[in-house]
């Protein structure tokens, strides 16, 4: 198959991918955006309907075109799918979808040569790559003794639909992040729950200001610079007390227990040896970066992660990861898209194919 040549291939059309596309277009580059989804919205297409715009953890405007007025009661999946779709239309982005990227390889040994992007819908040849695949497609399921013996239902937050399906069942929620406590609050309104985490959660009473955000991102950035697997920004910031979570604490919902030692057919064995009967185990244990298609490039180092210099892979300057590590927040994704395009423009011989386009 003859590859289709272009300057840059962007993989993923979520917040980070669209930000990168905006800046590529502004600078006049020839580029292609490949997205595995059936339509606009990225991972937001799959969020549970009860996650309303009033309760999402902050959404930043895409660059150049601000988001429309927000109805706080509208499901985030519905609003953001519409916003992202309108953004693509306004910029005239011809996003290729649904396209699954199977592998990215070097076409030859030339460090300034091209990259071959093999997909379910053909092959592209690019001088640089911006990977914005996010994490939603790779939910993390911890391995625990006896997990396969459980006779109840196990699901990850990626599969969650609504609390109503658990009415009358005892639900165990595992995880110490924002999704875990938010779903605990929601599910506990219709049935009984128990909460387990590996570590004692850290709560913040102080508001999460710009300085706190900067410090948290710096901690995550330090890890990826050293080639270690990224941790979530929440692991550095802690959980923030909201009025809803304070009310949940008063109801006894946030009575955290240390992680159980094993799973049995009808429940779990607690750390103190006692048994807790359960009907459902909901794993709110996070996600991992979707990077398997980059495996032929051998980017991972001995630390288990990918050593980064900003958005640029240290060992492969033609490849940028946006929405990864410190840029996994919506604000971080916007900045990362801009930074990646600026770095690509500085690559030797990387001249844009067209005049700069101005938006906003």
């Amino acid at each position: 198959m003859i590859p289709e040549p272009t300057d840059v291939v962007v993989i993923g059309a979520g917040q980070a991918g669209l930000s990168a596309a905006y800046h590529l277009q502004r600078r006049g580059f020839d580029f292609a955006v490949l997205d595995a989804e059936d339509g606009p919205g990225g991972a937001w297409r799959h969020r549970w309907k009860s996650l309303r715009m009033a309760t999402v953890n902050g959404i930043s405007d895409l660059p150049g075109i601000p988001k429309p007025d927000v109805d706080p009661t509208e499901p985030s999946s519905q609003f953001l799918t519409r916003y992202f779709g309108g953004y693509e239309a306004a910029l005239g982005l011809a996003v290729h979808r649904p396209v699954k990227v199977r592998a990215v390889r070097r076409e030859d040994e030339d460090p300034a040569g091209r990259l071959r992007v093999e997909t379910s819908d053909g092959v592209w040849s690019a001088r640089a790559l911006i990977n914005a695949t996010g994490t939603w497609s790779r939910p993390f399921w911890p391995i625990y003794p006896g997990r396969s013996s459980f006779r109840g239902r196990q699901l990850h937050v990626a599969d969650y639909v609504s609390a109503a399906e658990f009415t009358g069942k005892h639900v165990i929620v595992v995880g110490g992040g924002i999704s875990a406590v938010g779903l605990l609050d929601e599910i506990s309104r219709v049935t009984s729950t128990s909460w387990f985490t590996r570590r004692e959660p850290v709560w913040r009473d102080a508001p999460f200001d710009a300085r706190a955000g900067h410090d948290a991102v710096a901690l995550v950035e330090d890890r990826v610079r050293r080639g270690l697997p990224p941790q979530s920004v929440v692991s550095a910031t802690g959980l923030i007390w909201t009025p809803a979570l304070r009310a949940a604490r008063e109801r006894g919902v946030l009575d955290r227990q240390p992680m159980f030692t094993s799973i049995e057919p009808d429940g779990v064995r607690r750390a103190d040896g006692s048994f807790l009967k359960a009907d459902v185990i909901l794993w709110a244990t996070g996600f991992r970066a979707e990077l398997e298609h980059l495996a032929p490039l051998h980017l991972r180092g001995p630390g288990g992660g990918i050593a980064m210099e900003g958005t640029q892979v240290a060992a492969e300057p033609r490849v940028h990861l946006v929405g990864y590590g410190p840029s996994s927040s919506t604000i971080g994704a916007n900045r990362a898209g801009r930074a990646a395009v600026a770095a690509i423009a500085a690559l030797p011989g990387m001249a844009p194919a067209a005049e700069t386009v101005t938006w906003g």
Side-chain angles (χ1 to χ4, degrees):
M1 186 174 293
I2 299 175
E4 182 173 338
T6 189
D7 288 335
V8 184
V9 164
V10 179
I11 307 177
Q15 182 102 19
L18 291 180
S19 171
Y22 169 85
H23 291 287
L24 286 167
Q25 189 180 77
R26 281 198 70 199
R27 287 178 177 262
F29 281 107
D30 183 28
F31 65 97
V33 181
L34 315 179
D35 188 46
E37 298 291 344
D38 291 326
W44 289 104
R45 294 169 57 84
H46 307 289
R47 300 286 184 174
W48 47 96
K49 296 298 184 184
S50 59
L51 184 62
R52 311 281 173 172
M53 289 303 295
T55 55
V56 296
N57 191 38
I59 297 297
S60 292
D61 291 354
L62 288 162
I65 303 175
K67 61 178 177 286
D69 292 339
V70 177
D71 175 358
T73 67
E74 185 175 7
S76 59
S77 58
Q78 183 176 304
F79 173 84
L80 288 161
T81 294
R82 187 172 70 253
Y83 175 38
F84 284 18
Y87 188 85
E88 291 178 14
L91 266 62
L93 296 178
V95 178
H96 300 268
R97 61 164 62 97
V99 175
K100 173 67 176 175
V101 176
R102 293 170 174 158
V104 179
R105 311 177 192 278
R106 298 176 180 89
E107 290 192 356
D108 52 43
E109 298 302 314
D110 182 358
R114 286 183 166 269
L115 300 169
R116 179 182 175 91
V117 183
E118 301 171 2
T119 82
S120 60
D121 190 37
V123 179
W124 274 263
S125 175
R127 301 172 67 190
L129 178 84
I130 297 178
N131 191 84
T133 45
T135 62
W136 186 261
S137 58
R138 286 202 64 204
F140 175 64
W141 293 75
I143 297 173
Y144 268 90
R147 198 181 81 182
S148 62
S149 71
F150 187 60
R151 286 194 284 250
R153 181 185 176 192
Q154 295 186 69
L155 71 159
H156 193 275
V157 293
D159 306 308
Y160 179 82
V161 176
S162 73
E165 60 185 313
F166 305 127
T167 303
K169 304 179 184 296
H170 187 75
V171 180
I172 287 175
V173 177
V174 181
I178 294 171
S179 294
V181 294
L183 293 179
L184 265 171
D185 177 34
E186 184 171 313
I187 296 169
S188 68
R189 297 175 186 273
V190 301
T191 194
S192 60
T193 58
S194 297
W195 183 29
F196 291 84
T197 70
R198 286 193 302 122
R199 292 183 291 272
E200 185 74 40
V202 176
W203 293 90
R204 291 180 60 93
D205 282 307
F208 189 67
D209 56 17
R211 180 63 188 177
H214 175 273
D215 292 346
V217 169
L219 290 173
V220 180
E221 194 169 41
D222 178 64
R223 285 184 61 85
V224 298
R225 188 183 298 112
R226 291 185 288 131
L228 300 175
Q231 291 179 327
S232 68
V233 175
V234 172
S235 68
T237 63
L239 295 165
I240 300 172
W241 285 115
T242 65
L245 291 178
R246 291 186 188 278
R249 179 179 60 181
E250 293 303 312
R251 292 188 288 113
V253 173
L254 302 183
D255 181 16
R256 173 261 177 187
Q257 301 180 54
M259 195 60 195
F260 45 78
T261 58
S262 64
I263 302 173
E264 300 182 14
D266 297 312
V268 299
R269 187 65 57 181
R270 291 186 177 106
D272 64 5
S274 63
F275 178 76
L276 174 65
K277 189 176 185 304
D279 304 293
V280 179
I281 301 176
L282 174 58
W283 297 92
T285 45
F287 299 79
R288 297 294 182 265
E290 175 56 87
L291 301 174
E292 281 95 342
H293 52 286
L294 301 181
L297 299 176
H298 303 291
L299 303 178
R300 292 193 183 276
I306 299 174
M308 304 290 296
E309 295 175 359
T311 63
Q312 194 171 52
V313 175
E316 179 47 89
R318 292 171 290 182
V319 176
H320 288 257
L321 308 182
V322 297
Y324 174 83
S327 63
S328 58
S329 68
T330 57
I331 294 176
N334 281 353
R335 293 171 178 167
R338 182 176 65 246
V341 174
I344 286 172
L347 288 173
M350 184 61 100
E355 295 297 322
T356 300
V357 177
T358 301
W359 288 96

